[in-house]
Amino acid sequence: MSRTYVVTGSASGIGKATGELLIEQGHRVIGTDIRDADIVADLSTAAGRDHLVQEVTRVSGGSIDAVLAVAGLATPTAATVAVNYYGTIATLEGLRPLLLNSPNPRAVVVSSMAAIFPPDETLLNELLDGSEAKAMARAAELEASDAQQSSVIYGTTKRALSRWIRRQAPSQDWAAASIPLDAVSPGVVYTPMTADMTNDAASRAQIAAMAPMPLNGFFEPRGVATLLTWLTSEDNAHLCGQIIYIDGGSDAVLRGDLVW
Ligand SMILES: NC(=O)c1ccc[n+]([C@@H]2O[C@H](COP(=O)([O-])OP(=O)(O)OC[C@H]3O[C@@H](n4cnc5c(N)ncnc54)[C@H](O)[C@@H]3O)[C@@H](O)[C@H]2O)c1
């Protein structure tokens, strides 16, 4: 049966591949992005997030079947915090009322295997249990510091996002409302986001050392899209707060026995 899906980050990479796959499967896709989308909205700002919710409400007529929060940034900047964490949460919370009108609502976000790298603890704590103002101030501090410190911004946003999913998924808002809420954590996927890391042999070797992927290595966005479409299909009725590492084995190699 045809369903209505909202995909953020629909203009490029994993979001684009997911939208295309859903349309091939016969579904309606409302794509949103900062450019080239059905709904153009900037998830780094409060106004952009409000605009997204208002426009999806208008375009959908007030009912959607799934939210796929894919949009993200991987720059060593405070904007990455605004988009990856606050933009994603605003998408999920803002569109949740529309999901309640679906007989089989689903929600999924794209986190990252980078969530397992050591985070900035101050930023992580502010994201999970502090205030947005203080988190953004800490992010600005990291952005202004050296390359090593600013490089942890991305992984920290994804660690916080994965933990937010774990906390929220079993709650009244999600599980008790019959909405499976889960995340996928990809390894290295060939998209514009990773082009600089995968363009030449030296860069590929460097990134492969950080993110070992013994099962088939770096891969195309369609591989993630297939999992995202299943997680938001009617078939997924019982996964709750799961962070699924679709990473060619990075998590199994790096965390081994720590996770079971
Ligand atoms: N490519 C990888 O290897 C990889 C690995 C792990 C996780 N991810 C995650 O997958 C998701 C998709 O990334 P991708 O690899 O397809 O990258 P991409 O750059 O191809 O796509 C990201 C999309 O997000 C959009 N976006 C960025 N800032 C935005 C904003 N302020 N408002 C609205 N939209 C905005 C971009 O315009 C773009 O279309 C991201 O959340 C990323 O962190 C990617």
Side-chain angles (χ1 to χ4, degrees):
M1 202 176 72
S2 176
R3 286 159 59 77
T4 298
Y5 291 77
V6 176
V7 179
T8 74
S10 61
S12 177
I14 295 168
K16 186 174 181 199
T18 305
E20 288 169 355
L21 180 55
L22 288 166
I23 287 168
E24 281 171 34
Q25 292 172 349
H27 300 296
R28 177 184 181 199
V29 172
I30 302 172
T32 171
D33 204 295
I34 199 166
R35 60 181 172 85
D36 303 328
D38 301 317
I39 297 171
V40 172
D42 180 356
L43 286 173
S44 72
T45 68
R49 296 165 198 155
D50 289 347
H51 178 68
L52 167 68
V53 173
Q54 280 167 16
E55 280 301 288
V56 172
T57 305
R58 187 181 66 76
V59 169
S60 68
S63 176
I64 59 175
D65 297 298
V67 177
L68 298 93
V70 186
L73 262 187
T75 53
T77 64
T80 290
V81 176
V83 176
N84 293 8
Y85 191 74
Y86 295 109
T88 300
I89 291 172
T91 300
L92 292 168
E93 290 184 337
L95 298 180
R96 198 185 73 87
L98 308 189
L99 289 171
L100 298 176
N101 295 322
S102 166
N104 291 289
R106 308 284 182 260
V108 70
V109 314
V110 178
S111 185
S112 172
M113 68 74 62
I116 70 182
F117 296 145
D120 179 73
E121 292 292 345
T122 306
L123 176 57
L124 184 66
N125 290 335
E126 286 300 340
L127 291 172
L128 286 168
D129 299 311
S131 72
E132 182 168 349
K134 284 188 181 165
M136 292 309 298
R138 177 59 181 164
E141 263 175 33
L142 292 170
E143 179 179 342
S145 60
D146 59 44
Q148 197 182 345
Q149 277 201 291
S150 59
S151 71
V152 303
I153 290 176
Y154 177 73
T156 304
T157 65
K158 295 297 189 176
R159 169 118 29 145
L161 190 57
S162 294
R163 287 179 60 183
W164 187 89
I165 295 289
R166 298 283 295 170
R167 289 180 180 187
Q168 292 297 318
S171 73
Q172 285 294 115
D173 279 354
W174 298 93
S178 291
I179 310 173
L181 171 64
D182 299 288
V184 304
S185 283
V188 181
V189 181
Y190 293 114
T191 70
M193 182 180 278
T194 54
D196 287 349
M197 299 179 227
T198 56
N199 268 345
D200 60 89
S203 304
R204 282 196 295 277
Q206 198 179 8
I207 197 77
M210 278 174 63
M213 296 173 63
L215 178 66
N216 295 330
F218 306 165
F219 62 106
E220 297 295 333
R222 183 91 170 188
V224 186
T226 307
L227 178 57
L228 289 170
T229 57
W230 185 82
L231 285 167
T232 48
S233 72
E234 292 177 17
D235 289 339
N236 174 24
H238 301 287
L239 285 190
C240 178
Q242 293 305 302
I243 313 299
I244 301 173
Y245 283 80
I246 176 162
D247 64 354
S250 295
D251 177 45
V253 171
L254 297 173
R255 292 201 298 179
D257 279 357
L258 293 173
V259 181
W260 64 95

